[in-house]
Amino acid sequence: SSNQMWGGRFAAGPDAIMEAINASIGFDKRLAAQDIAGSRAHAAMLAATGIISDSDAETIREGLLTVLSEIEEGRFEFSTALEDIHMNVEARLKEIVGEPAGRLHTARSRNDQVATDFKLWTRDQFDAFEQGLLALIRALVDQAEAGAAWVMPGFTHLQTAQPVTWGHHMLAYVEMFARDLSRVRDARKRMNECPLGSAALAGTGFAIDRHMTAEALGFDRPTANSLDAVSDRDFALEFLSTASICAMHLSRFAEELVIWSSAQFRFVALSDRFSTGSSIMPQKKNPDAAELIRAKIGRIFGANVALMTVMKGLPLAYSKDMQEDKEQVFDAADNLMLALAAMEGMVKDMSANVDNLEAAASAGFSTATDLADWLVRETGLPFRDAHHVTGSLVAMAEGKGCDLPDLSLEEMQSVSGAITEGIYDVLGVHNSVASRLSHGGTAPARVREQVARWKEILA
Ligand code: ARG
């Protein structure tokens, strides 16, 4: 039989394959609560503007609440023949309340409904994203505070470069996640306009009050252009692109945790709660959560590319292509929230191996730059020459199989006569980091200032 929503124009129902490709109810049932909230706001507005009677609006309101509890309690029978959540809800409303249900769709279309529902859902995800980031940032600031003075190797090219502090490394991620947070808040503000009442594409001749529905649904204002309102998926794309950048940050940190927890590095011990064992190798403790976080970027970035590709080239206004928006965002959001929570848990639980960090920081000639800087400061040597002298000393130490502080003063003086006993002060890793007091530098004093700044921001 033909569809009850548009049967007037149709003699035959759809082919089974048509129904399968067309239906979105399998996934857009996740928008049920938003759909019902939108319908309630719309019905109340239709009554307030005199377009439907107060008693019809009340009947609709009660019916929608019944539908909502049926869905929430798992008693609702979703029908593929009814295509999507919007028609499933309305058809059930009709079964429950009869004729007044047919008045609900005055001055609106599914195009406004889906845009509104999906925006409401995505807005909640932006809020969850914000909370997830804040929790992670707090955990990182706590780590930074604990280890403001712990020394570890800083790397470039994953080769030992200079000693840095643990706190400084943690705060580097705080900066990244705080930029993510700012992107989330910015996008959330921009997307908060209500599409409801666009009436498919052109607006309506009914004297509706779009400000009223916008306000009821927590939007800042109604959208200004009905064509744009039903065609816009920027909000979903901003969610996905913001999520992609954040997932990239998460993935970099996850990669570091995988490396740091290895037997070769032993910088950190991950907690049992965020590790797994091996079924064959009894000694193993694997950083699976970190690995999965590292991998999640794939599907989140994939969702971003997929939806960009769906949207490119679509003429205004709505096209059914846009039905492909939701699964991408659902999947990306689910996995992002999981990754954020897992990272927060790992960061909270992990313990730094302070001795190993310091030993690693001291190896690999990590204070060579301090040595060169000392020559510039104390002997007036141009930096390029100091660099050369230091290079020769590194080569000497490497030849002897020792570290820079192990070279005797005589050995050092054989390379440069200007070197004095004072050089040994700067070859220690603690002095090295303590000296890096420039704005944004790694010195414990600077880290503590930054920790205090973040605590104030987060308070
Ligand atoms: N299920 C549709 C979607 O997800 C809802 C809007 C359908 N509108 C239409 N005119 N066919 O996009």
Side-chain angles (χ1 to χ4, degrees):
S1 68
S2 66
N3 186 296
Q4 58 174 291
M5 298 289 176
W6 53 70
R9 167 77 173 75
F10 284 68
D15 189 273
I17 295 295
M18 175 59 195
E19 203 172 282
I21 194 175
N22 196 40
S24 55
I25 189 63
F27 48 87
D28 67 15
K29 60 171 95 153
R30 277 186 84 166
L31 301 177
Q34 288 77 9
D35 195 68
I36 288 168
S39 287
R40 285 181 56 189
H42 188 67
M45 180 280 290
L46 290 176
T49 51
I51 296 168
I52 66 172
S53 70
D54 286 342
S55 83
D56 280 349
E58 183 51 26
T59 304
I60 290 170
R61 194 186 76 87
E62 280 168 16
L64 286 169
L65 288 174
T66 304
V67 176
L68 182 62
S69 53
E70 286 178 359
I71 294 174
E72 282 174 350
E73 290 157 23
R75 289 185 286 121
F76 191 94
E77 268 187 51
F78 293 102
S79 147
T80 309
L82 288 167
E83 223 182 290
D84 58 25
I85 186 63
H86 325 294
M87 292 200 294
N88 267 270
V89 168
E90 195 184 320
R92 179 70 187 123
L93 181 68
K94 181 129 193 280
E95 282 173 10
I96 298 169
V97 307
E99 194 248 291
R103 302 185 190 281
L104 174 59
H105 213 54
T106 314
R108 78 168 189 188
S109 92
R110 279 192 296 154
N111 298 347
D112 342 3
Q113 277 183 282
V114 71
T116 305
D117 298 359
F118 193 32
K119 257 194 178 181
L120 288 170
W121 193 90
T122 305
R123 192 175 71 185
D124 285 348
Q125 297 303 307
F126 271 119
D127 292 341
F129 194 171
E130 174 176 22
Q131 292 313 311
L133 280 168
L134 282 168
L136 175 56
I137 289 171
R138 285 201 178 91
L140 286 163
V141 170
D142 287 345
Q143 281 284 352
E145 185 173 36
W150 300 343
V151 182
M152 64 181 282
F155 299 94
T156 60
H157 315 265
L158 198 57
Q159 308 287 321
T160 299
Q162 293 178 11
V164 295
T165 48
W166 171 267
H168 198 51
H169 201 111
M170 295 299 121
L171 290 179
Y173 281 103
V174 168
E175 295 290 333
M176 293 176 234
F177 292 123
R179 285 194 298 275
D180 292 333
L181 185 63
S182 131
R183 272 183 280 276
V184 166
R185 287 174 172 164
D186 182 54
R188 203 277 193 201
K189 207 179 303 159
R190 185 168 27 256
M191 63 98 75
N192 203 27
E193 298 184 338
C194 186
L196 198 59
S198 296
L201 78 165
T204 177
F206 290 101
I208 58 174
D209 182 352
R210 293 194 56 218
H211 292 273
M212 182 179 164
T213 41
E215 197 184 325
L217 295 169
F219 288 104
D220 294 329
R221 63 191 78 82
T223 50
N225 182 300
S226 58
L227 284 172
D228 173 51
V230 291
S231 311
D232 166 36
R233 292 296 181 273
D234 291 8
F235 63 91
L237 288 166
E238 285 204 271
F239 179 83
L240 293 175
S241 51
T242 306
S244 292
I245 296 175
C246 176
M248 176 273 292
H249 291 147
L250 287 168
S251 182
R252 293 182 77 170
F253 194 28
E255 166 73 357
E256 295 198 319
L257 293 179
V258 169
I259 295 173
W260 291 359
S261 61
S262 71
Q264 288 68 27
F265 271 74
R266 291 188 301 127
F267 283 7
V268 293
L270 301 177
S271 73
D272 289 356
R273 303 189 328 134
F274 286 93
S275 310
T276 61
S278 158
S279 54
I280 176 168
M281 296 165 282
Q283 87 284 9
K284 292 274 277 183
K285 188 165 156 188
N286 294 324
D288 294 43
E291 295 170 81
L292 287 163
I293 292 168
R294 185 173 61 183
K296 294 283 184 202
I297 177 71
R299 55 208 294 166
I300 295 171
F301 194 64
N304 189 30
V305 173
L307 186 54
M308 285 287 260
T309 312
V310 166
M311 295 307 294
K312 74 169 276 297
L314 286 189
L316 303 188
Y318 178 88
S319 297
K320 196 62 171 263
D321 309 49
M322 291 162 74
Q323 179 164 288
E324 289 288 308
D325 54 4
K326 284 168 281 296
E327 283 168 293
Q328 302 294 344
V329 178
F330 291 167
D331 184 75
D334 291 345
N335 283 288
L336 176 74
M337 302 316 159
L338 210 47
L340 281 167
M343 186 57 97
E344 184 213 344
M346 274 198 301
V347 170
K348 266 188 179 154
D349 278 15
M350 71 182 178
S351 52
N353 192 332
V354 181
D355 294 340
N356 284 342
L357 286 175
E358 182 163 336
S362 308
F365 316 111
S366 66
T367 53
T369 311
D370 299 86
L371 198 161
D373 287 349
W374 183 90
L375 288 168
V376 169
R377 236 182 7 254
E378 302 296 323
T379 74
L381 217 57
F383 182 78
R384 286 290 162 219
D385 298 336
H387 185 285
H388 190 82
V389 168
T390 308
S392 305
L393 290 168
V394 167
M396 177 186 280
E398 198 169 37
K400 295 190 59 191
C402 69
D403 278 318
L404 283 172
D406 304 324
L407 294 175
S408 70
L409 187 59
E410 292 70 44
E411 285 168 330
M412 295 227 199
Q413 285 171 341
S414 75
V415 176
S416 166
I419 295 178
T420 65
E421 193 67 36
I423 192 110
Y424 290 98
D425 290 344
V426 300
L427 295 181
V429 290
H430 285 284
N431 286 336
S432 170
V433 293
S435 73
R436 281 169 171 62
L437 283 162
S438 54
H439 184 84
T442 198
R446 289 285 174 261
V447 171
R448 291 196 181 97
E449 281 170 13
Q450 290 296 318
V451 165
R453 180 173 77 88
W454 280 113
K455 283 190 149 180
E456 209 174 290
I457 292 170
L458 295 167

